[in-house]
Amino acid sequence: MLVDSMRELDELRVLQYSVEMMAEGISSLEIFDKLLEGISEVDALYEAGRYFIADLIMAGHILKSVMTKVLVFRGFEEYSSFGTVVIATVRGDIHELGKNVITELLKSNGFTVYDLGADAAIESIVRAVREYSPHILILSGTLKKSADEMAACVRALKTTGLCERLRLIVGGGAVTPQTALELGADAYSASVKDCLKTCYDFMLQATGETLKNG
């Protein structure tokens, strides 16, 4: 019922079912996984052309509402937000629809996001990481050459020592799980839902909690 209500973007029912599940002794992490299952179905409807960006943002709003009003995750009180993210489509690549969707979804879920746009130069990415001290850096690219640009960016970050204090997520048509490993990324994102879950997972790990594999 919770997954169905999330898919239907029914905020009141999602809140109601979440409260009932908590009262039954179901853990916040289990409820969170169910909510993400619903987000996945919303994402699938978006990919099928039946939902739009506004629907993805609404799903994110509902998820944030449940997390702030119902669920209990120890440790987030030390952050002004769930986490800070820098995101960019790498230099030479102007594809940014997926990046824009992820940016809005992360913002609506309580993350502070600095979007560097498309065709972002390595120098601007390094400068943003130094200036904003993000917990997470997301690099996106669709063109085949974008994987090489991501690799160059990672090398530049390592040279400055900035890689040691952040988690790197890569995504887009330019990369696969295998190339993500070769790039030294901490995670590969195949979808909006995967990216959101990974960002939450990283922040929960930072506070001593770990989401279940699901």
Side-chain angles (χ1 to χ4, degrees):
M1 291 187 291
L2 183 59
V3 175
D4 293 340
S5 297
M6 176 61 85
R7 183 184 63 246
E8 295 165 5
L9 303 175
D10 190 331
E11 182 175 1
L12 290 178
R13 286 193 178 276
V14 170
L15 285 168
Q16 176 188 341
Y17 290 138
S18 297
V19 169
E20 290 175 355
M21 291 170 74
M22 285 286 285
E24 293 170 2
I26 298 173
S27 73
S28 291
L29 291 179
E30 290 176 287
I31 296 171
F32 183 71
D33 274 348
K34 286 294 182 183
L35 291 170
L36 286 183
E37 188 179 333
I39 289 281
S40 180
E41 295 194 11
V42 171
D43 186 36
L45 289 169
Y46 170 77
E47 294 294 337
R50 295 174 57 190
Y51 272 5
F52 303 95
I53 290 178
D55 297 305
L56 291 179
I57 294 173
M58 181 60 186
H61 164 77
I62 294 172
L63 181 60
K64 180 181 178 182
S65 181
V66 176
M67 289 196 71
T68 55
K69 295 176 182 178
V70 182
L71 306 186
V72 179
F73 293 109
R74 295 185 302 276
F76 280 126
E77 62 273 6
E78 65 184 271
Y79 299 106
S80 58
S81 70
F82 288 137
T84 301
V85 178
V86 167
I87 186 170
T89 298
V90 295
R91 181 169 52 192
D93 197 324
I94 61 172
H95 296 85
E96 60 176 342
L97 176 58
K99 174 190 65 64
N100 290 345
V101 171
I102 289 171
T103 295
E104 291 306 314
L105 191 59
L106 287 171
K107 285 180 177 179
S108 66
N109 276 277
F111 286 86
T112 299
V113 183
Y114 296 97
D115 183 0
L116 306 185
D119 192 24
I122 291 173
E123 296 77 13
S124 66
I125 295 171
V126 171
R127 185 166 55 248
V129 170
R130 181 179 287 112
E131 179 179 355
Y132 302 124
S133 297
H135 301 97
I136 300 166
L137 170 65
I138 302 174
L139 297 179
S140 175
T142 299
L143 304 177
K144 185 176 180 180
K145 64 180 181 179
S146 295
D148 293 333
E149 189 68 19
M150 290 179 189
C153 186
V154 171
R155 288 195 296 270
L157 289 167
K158 286 183 176 179
T159 299
T160 60
L162 294 173
C163 261
E164 298 175 4
R165 66 190 198 208
L166 58 77
R167 299 294 191 101
L168 173 63
I169 301 173
V170 295
V175 291
T176 65
Q178 180 59 38
T179 54
L181 286 174
E182 295 169 357
L183 288 168
D186 295 288
Y188 163 76
S189 173
S191 68
V192 171
K193 179 255 187 182
D194 282 346
C195 190
L196 177 63
K197 186 178 188 299
T198 299
C199 288
Y200 272 122
D201 201 0
F202 284 161
M203 295 313 300
L204 287 170
Q205 289 173 18
T207 58
E209 301 253 11
T210 304
L211 282 176
K212 301 180 307 174
N213 293 325

